[in-house]
Amino acid sequence: MPETSPSGTVTALPSLAAQAERLIELGVHELAGIPADELRAFAANAGDEDGGALLAVHPDHAPASALAPLLRHDGKPGFVVTDMADVDDFAPCTVELPDAPLYLVTDLDRGDHMADWSPEEALPALAGQGRTPLLLTEGIHWVLQQSAILERNRCFMTIGSRLRKANGALDARTPAIWISNGTGRDGRERRNAPKVGWCWWGNRHTWLGFASATGRRR
């Protein structure tokens, strides 16, 4: 299990080389149309001076719907809730991504200290701390690399991804990653499976923090 601070800060992400091999093992490079050697070269040349950055594939190359089934918890694969068929339409909002298929996300924090905050409350607070909310795909990448970061009653939202409606307004759903209880439409067979779902913009949940980072770079 990775070491974490009380607020959920990871202190020991795998090396970038190890992260690249993990993505290759899972077939993420094939989903993204990126040769394995290119992924390895990026990891080798990126350096690791950030003290444990997360290697991420741009969501245009590897969308959430393709990544979610690769998640595992208690031996069960991840899934996207049935009422989020438009999951891949949740795009970066208030977040600027590097213009590259591969990039690094620095200084991850699970945001446990913001549990029982609403997304509406958390977003300006993160900005005030000089932090940026994770995208849904970045959150999935994090769990792919460190499955133990997803703990029952200590899961997280990824409010850097939002859905903009045709009229320009933002959808009130905000994405999150947690562990299914196997109730309702999830189905009993999915109990303890990693779940990509959503919560309302103005609602609070005691078991959801707000995952964030200090920045992104190529």
Side-chain angles (χ1 to χ4, degrees), residues 91-112:
C93 183
T94 72
V95 171
E96 188 171 337
L97 295 186
D99 184 17
L102 300 169
Y103 64 97
L104 301 181
V105 188
T106 57
D107 189 22
L108 298 177
D109 187 283
R110 193 169 60 186
D112 293 1

Side-chain angles (χ1 to χ4, degrees), residues 42-111:
F42 176 85
N45 295 328
D48 212 7
E49 66 270 19
D50 295 297
L54 177 70
L55 174 56
V57 179
H58 195 289
D60 287 349
H61 292 262
S65 64
L67 295 174
L70 302 177
L71 295 169
R72 291 292 184 276
H73 182 80
D74 196 28
K76 297 182 179 181
F79 68 99
V80 179
V81 294
T82 57
D83 55 354
M84 204 176 181
D86 52 359
V87 64
D88 293 337
D89 294 329
F90 283 71
C93 183
T94 72
V95 171
E96 188 171 337
L97 295 186
D99 184 17
L102 300 169
Y103 64 97
L104 301 181
V105 188
T106 57
D107 189 22
L108 298 177
D109 187 283
R110 193 169 60 186

